Amino acid sequence: MAVLQGSFPRVREDGALALGLPLALWLFLALLLGTAHQIRPAPYGDHLTPGPPAHSARARGGAVEAYEGRAPRWRYARVGRRPLSVLPTRGQAITVWDDGLVTDTDGRSVRWHRALPAAADWLPAQGGTGVLRPLGRGMLAVVTPARIAAYRITDGDLRWVLPARPGCGFRPERAVRHGGALLVAQPCVHGAWTAQLVAVDDLGGIAPSRSPLGNGPPTTGRPEHPYTEKALASPR
């Protein structure tokens, strides 16, 4: 019987295979690692069925579903998590989830994720009611008992933070719009009634003679700080 040349790897006298087998082994390992990279879980358990932008979105079961009229557009879920409240805004959907994560989705991607501090202490009873509040000019207020935080919707950049006064706590479900301001109840154990209500807008706490913040996308120069308990520098 004739033996075909090149049909088998060459064997040295000590029985070890020639370089061809280790090279094949490395190629197999590279392929295996590449496959494992592709099937690894998405960050935060995200599972997005993409589609075109929509102006209507709501929580349904364990997912956020977006519609244009009655036509479904896209669906976004997180493994093992449940959406509590959804705020549609300009073709996007901002959602607060039962683990305290806030997400922004436009149907093509999950644009950003932000975590609420100490959410397990209050969110189960609160249920997400009133936590997400639009401020206008592309800004979002996230109201929790301990603080109000404002994010730029385009990229999720944190613009300012207003902590509740000592002995007080914000009530997200008792916030209302009045003109360009968001009025938020801040009940206090002790304190004058004037301290139990705060007014904010996209620039921060409303007060006379405050400096402009500049909440647009980053440009040259540094914006001034707003009148808030804690102001944040512009991103570098």
Side-chain angles (χ1 to χ4, degrees), residues 56 59 110 120 178 189 228:
S56 176
V110 184
H178 181 72
V189 177
T228 57

Side-chain angles (χ1 to χ4, degrees), residues 7-103:
S7 299
F8 302 96
R10 293 179 293 106
V11 181
R12 299 199 303 263
E13 292 181 358
D14 59 359
L17 295 179
L19 184 61
L21 185 55
L23 180 59
L25 182 60
W26 279 111
L27 291 175
F28 173 75
L29 290 176
L31 179 62
L32 184 63
L33 290 174
T35 303
H37 178 78
Q38 293 177 1
I39 64 175
R40 66 180 180 176
Y44 307 101
D46 289 346
H47 184 75
L48 175 65
T49 303
H55 289 86
S56 176
R58 65 177 184 268
R60 185 175 181 181
V64 179
E65 296 183 347
Y67 295 83
E68 195 66 37
R70 293 187 176 183
R73 295 301 194 189
W74 52 263
R75 187 178 189 272
Y76 170 44
R78 296 179 56 228
V79 177
R81 298 301 176 186
R82 181 171 57 91
L84 299 179
S85 179
V86 180
L87 175 67
T89 172
R90 296 185 179 182
Q92 303 169 36
I94 302 172
T95 307
V96 58
W97 300 78
D98 60 355
D99 62 346
L101 199 68
V102 176
T103 62

